[in-house]
Amino acid sequence: MASPSSPAPVSSAPARYRRADVVDRAIDLLEEVGLEGLSMRRLAGDLGVRPSALYHHVASKQELLGAVADEMLERGRRATEVLGWQDELRLACVELRDTMLRHRDGAAVLATARAQGVGGTDPVTRMAAVLAFNGADPELARVGAQTLFHFVFGHVADRQAAGVAGEPGDADFAVGLAIVLRGLETRVGTHGDDRSS
Amino acid sequence: MASPSSPAPVSSAPARYRRADVVDRAIDLLEEVGLEGLSMRRLAGDLGVRPSALYHHVASKQELLGAVADEMLERGRRATEVLGWQDELRLACVELRDTMLRHRDGAAVLATARAQGVGGTDPVTRMAAVLAFNGADPELARVGAQTLFHFVFGHVADRQAAGVAGEPGDADFAVGLAIVLRGLETRVGTHGDDRSS
DNA sequence: ACCTGAACACCGTTCAAGT
DNA sequence: ACCTGAACACCGTTCAAGT
């Protein structure tokens, strides 16, 4: 209808993003299509940009997934309460489980990022610190925290790989967690009770 | 040098395989290139066959990986000894860990197959049976076996994703496993000792 | 700084056709 | 029965070039 030639004034400039925008969009896309569907090309398409443009913000898909994992952990963080060590570890495991469950394929994303050593916010380190603070020797603190992490990861990964998203199965998680904590109890300190206050 | 025309007698017939050949080759290829490098096209190339020929033996890559997992479990199976339930479960977990460690990315292969319900030889079912046989109620047997599996899977997956292939770290596995078994001990039966013989 | 355009070396899967 | 040939709709990544 209008003149077909020349001007085409503003707004034909390409979109412009920062790294955080890319990471946020990747998380949204993960929710839509899952880890398997989350491709660099699809993400670029979602942002209205060419695939090659993404490599200005992240070095590789692997690095992007690491950043996604860190952001998930950040968003899921809750205030640290000072409790008996068992309750403190239980809460840390529940927080971790909730963070994994909150995002599609969350367990797989967090575990692969951790295995590649991408995350700065390693939850295992936090749990090991709680054990060490409560009289476990460094070795036991390390292995105990790992064992808890492996349980949580295995539990959620199993459910998510089976396509079960929901929270029921909560009971199984609580029982499994109690089993591991009970096994820990006979090793850390002499007993697991706190007499403070 | 020879006459360029016609005959070219025998042996130009295409290769011919059975499903088991394809699965065996897939396991070999997995060892060479890992789960990430294991593609249908690469496998076809290894067999000297076109990619489309594979779909005569398996319905999809997913089904192939399920068959690979089953074969791994089969190869790793050891004789069942009758022992106290703790030793029996410990042995089952060690067997599972060894099977996972024996193959590159073995933990990931076995876990994804299990989650999709492909395997007929489910090790979790076996462990649950041991617990049920020893006085655990069905619920505890199920959750206890799952907890053990999640620990084993998480432990090996962690190591393999980090690119650590070797067996050392054995000590961590033994300690973690002892923690879980100890936690189980206070729940199954009243005590965990056998007075038979 | 952040983007486009074009290319390279790949994927899983389907389907008609050959023997 | 098991294979080829050809196609469809994709991948991650690199690199020169634009603004």
Side-chain angles (χ1 to χ4, degrees):
Chain A
M1 293 167 171
S3 61
S5 53
S6 34
V10 271
S11 92
S12 67
R16 249 148 195 274
Y17 297 106
R18 294 190 287 33
R19 184 185 159 104
D21 300 323
V22 173
V23 173
D24 286 354
R25 275 277 203 172
I27 292 180
D28 292 346
L29 186 54
L30 182 67
E31 245 57 59
E32 279 175 50
V33 298
L35 188 54
E36 196 171 284
L38 176 52
S39 71
M40 296 298 269
R41 298 182 98 105
R42 170 89 199 246
L43 176 57
D46 257 42
L47 289 162
V49 121
R50 290 283 134 115
S52 52
L54 296 179
Y55 291 86
H56 218 270
H57 299 103
V58 293
S60 64
K61 186 181 182 180
Q62 193 179 160
E63 193 196 286
L64 172 66
L65 287 177
V68 163
D70 277 348
E71 178 62 21
M72 284 177 177
L73 251 12
E74 201 73 33
R75 291 185 189 178
R77 203 183 253 141
R78 282 204 290 252
T80 308
E81 296 179 68
V82 179
L83 303 159
W85 65 267
Q86 296 193 56
D87 287 334
E88 217 155 322
L89 289 178
R90 197 188 326 271
L91 234 57
C93 287
V94 167
E95 178 182 314
L96 184 57
R97 180 205 58 165
D98 287 348
T99 299
M100 286 176 169
L101 278 177
R102 191 146 36 231
H103 302 97
R104 175 124 81 125
D105 295 326
V109 171
L110 291 193
T112 64
R114 180 187 127 74
Q116 292 160 186
V118 200
T121 350
D122 189 6
V124 179
T125 309
R126 279 173 58 202
M127 297 198 288
V130 172
L131 281 165
F133 247 74
N134 285 84
D137 70 286
E139 271 296 282
L140 180 61
R142 190 178 55 79
V143 180
Q146 264 175 3
T147 301
L148 284 165
F149 177 81
H150 291 153
F151 163 70
V152 174
F153 164 56
H155 178 89
V156 181
D158 221 359
R159 278 184 158 43
Q160 287 184 327
V164 182
E167 309 260 327
D170 210 54
D172 287 7
F173 181 78
V175 173
L177 183 52
I179 287 170
V180 181
L181 285 173
R182 182 76 181 79
L184 235 20
E185 191 180 312
T186 54
R187 294 189 175 236
V188 32
T190 320
H191 294 91
D193 54 289
D194 53 324
R195 300 171 194 164
S196 51
S197 85
Chain B
M1 291 162 173
S3 61
S5 53
S6 35
V10 268
S11 92
S12 68
R16 249 146 196 277
Y17 298 105
R18 293 188 290 30
R19 183 184 159 103
D21 301 323
V22 173
V23 172
D24 286 354
R25 276 277 200 168
I27 292 180
D28 293 346
L29 186 53
L30 182 67
E31 245 57 60
E32 278 175 51
V33 298
L35 187 54
E36 195 172 283
L38 176 52
S39 71
M40 297 296 271
R41 298 182 97 106
R42 169 89 198 244
L43 177 58
D46 258 42
L47 290 163
V49 121
R50 292 282 136 114
S52 53
L54 296 180
Y55 292 86
H56 219 269
H57 300 102
V58 294
S60 64
K61 186 181 183 180
Q62 194 180 162
E63 193 197 285
L64 172 66
L65 287 177
V68 163
D70 277 347
E71 178 62 22
M72 284 179 179
L73 252 12
E74 201 73 33
R75 291 185 189 178
R77 204 183 250 141
R78 283 204 290 252
T80 309
E81 298 178 67
V82 178
L83 303 159
W85 65 267
Q86 295 192 56
D87 287 335
E88 217 154 322
L89 289 178
R90 197 187 327 271
L91 235 57
C93 287
V94 167
E95 178 181 313
L96 184 58
R97 180 205 57 166
D98 288 347
T99 299
M100 287 176 170
L101 277 177
R102 191 148 34 232
H103 302 95
R104 181 132 67 132
D105 294 327
V109 171
L110 291 194
T112 63
R114 180 186 128 75
Q116 292 160 185
V118 199
T121 349
D122 189 7
V124 178
T125 309
R126 279 173 57 204
M127 298 197 289
V130 173
L131 280 165
F133 247 74
N134 285 84
D137 70 286
E139 271 296 283
L140 180 61
R142 190 178 57 79
V143 180
Q146 263 176 3
T147 301
L148 285 166
F149 177 83
H150 291 153
F151 163 70
V152 175
F153 164 56
H155 178 89
V156 181
D158 221 0
R159 278 183 159 44
Q160 288 184 328
V164 183
E167 309 260 327
D170 210 57
D172 288 8
F173 181 77
V175 172
L177 183 51
I179 287 170
V180 181
L181 286 172
R182 182 75 180 81
L184 236 19
E185 193 180 311
T186 54
R187 293 190 178 235
V188 31
T190 320
H191 294 89
D193 55 289
D194 52 325
R195 302 172 192 162
S196 51
S197 86

